[in-house]
Amino acid sequence: MLGTDVSDNMKKCSECGNEVDDSAEFCLNCGTKLDKSEVIETVQNQPVQNKEVSGQNTKFCSNCGSKIDVKAEICPKCGVRVAVTSEIKSPFLALILSFLFPGFGQFYNGHSKKGIILIVAAIVSIILYIFLIGLILYFLVWVYGLYDAYKSAEAINNGMSVPDEISLNF
């Protein structure tokens, strides 16, 4: 047996020795498919701090939607490699940039397609000021840009996959 403590619901990957949850089908570290023959024997009745995480320490698999640890590189349920986001986006900064001009917050979040669409829509709205409809249109584009930039930055920080397309799902 190895010298590290694991609880009843933990096992070790035979490939890399990483501790994984007993219900996991794949190793979070190396991606090896785990089955009973590949798992090193677990140590019984050893107390370990609860590994359950919540809030900012969790994210969702982009393939199967399972809740996983934010540090996981591979989904333990489906085995798909999930993107590791090392850069944290500030929702407040994204909001400020979109406040200055629609689309700037989307560029900050890395959503260039959304940013370009919002900038073009804002410019068209400014041109339509002549007909007064531009004032209302610009306001709608501006509010959408604010909302989307803030919510997208929050979702990115939570490890969620945010598509680079305009969506009117509030």
Side-chain angles (χ1 to χ4, degrees), residues 3 10 14-16 18 26 28 32 36 40 51 57 72-73 75 77 96 99 104 119 127-128 142 151 166 170:
M10 298 297 288
S14 62
E15 188 69 30
C16 68
N18 186 47
F26 296 89
L28 294 175
T32 301
K36 304 236 186 272
I40 297 174
K51 297 276 185 182
N57 293 330
E73 293 183 21
C75 176
K77 298 295 179 195
I96 295 297
F99 179 82
F104 287 2
I119 288 172
I127 293 169
L128 292 176
W142 181 70
K151 287 298 188 181
I166 299 290
F170 295 105

Side-chain angles (χ1 to χ4, degrees), residues 1-95:
M1 287 198 227
L2 299 175
T4 57
D5 293 341
V6 289
S7 67
D8 292 348
N9 62 347
M10 298 297 288
K11 58 188 175 184
K12 290 206 169 261
C13 172
S14 62
E15 188 69 30
C16 68
N18 186 47
E19 290 181 11
V20 292
D21 188 82
D22 196 33
S23 64
E25 296 177 23
F26 296 89
C27 175
L28 294 175
N29 189 41
C30 67
T32 301
K33 181 162 178 55
L34 303 172
D35 60 33
K36 304 236 186 272
S37 65
E38 293 178 343
V39 177
I40 297 174
E41 185 179 327
T42 60
V43 179
Q44 300 295 323
N45 301 323
Q46 295 288 332
V48 171
Q49 292 180 354
N50 189 0
K51 297 276 185 182
E52 185 65 29
V53 291
S54 62
Q56 293 185 1
N57 293 330
T58 59
K59 64 181 177 181
F60 297 92
C61 174
S62 59
N63 185 53
C64 69
S66 297
K67 194 174 191 179
I68 58 176
D69 190 301
V70 73
K71 297 175 192 164
E73 293 183 21
I74 299 170
C75 176
K77 298 295 179 195
C78 68
V80 171
R81 184 167 297 278
V82 291
V84 178
T85 55
S86 59
E87 186 177 350
I88 302 296
K89 300 292 184 182
S90 168
F92 184 69
L93 181 57
L95 184 72

Side-chain angles (χ1 to χ4, degrees), residues 81-145:
R81 184 167 297 278
V82 291
V84 178
T85 55
S86 59
E87 186 177 350
I88 302 296
K89 300 292 184 182
S90 168
F92 184 69
L93 181 57
L95 184 72
I96 295 297
L97 290 170
S98 281
F99 179 82
L100 296 175
F101 198 79
F104 287 2
Q106 284 69 23
F107 274 104
Y108 168 74
N109 288 335
H111 298 137
S112 57
K113 289 179 190 173
K114 277 198 269 188
I116 290 170
I117 291 170
L118 288 173
I119 288 172
V120 168
I123 291 171
V124 168
S125 299
I126 291 170
I127 293 169
L128 292 176
Y129 262 49
I130 302 167
F131 305 109
L132 294 178
I133 189 71
L135 183 63
I136 296 167
L137 184 61
Y138 183 84
F139 178 75
L140 293 174
V141 169
W142 181 70
V143 169
Y144 176 81

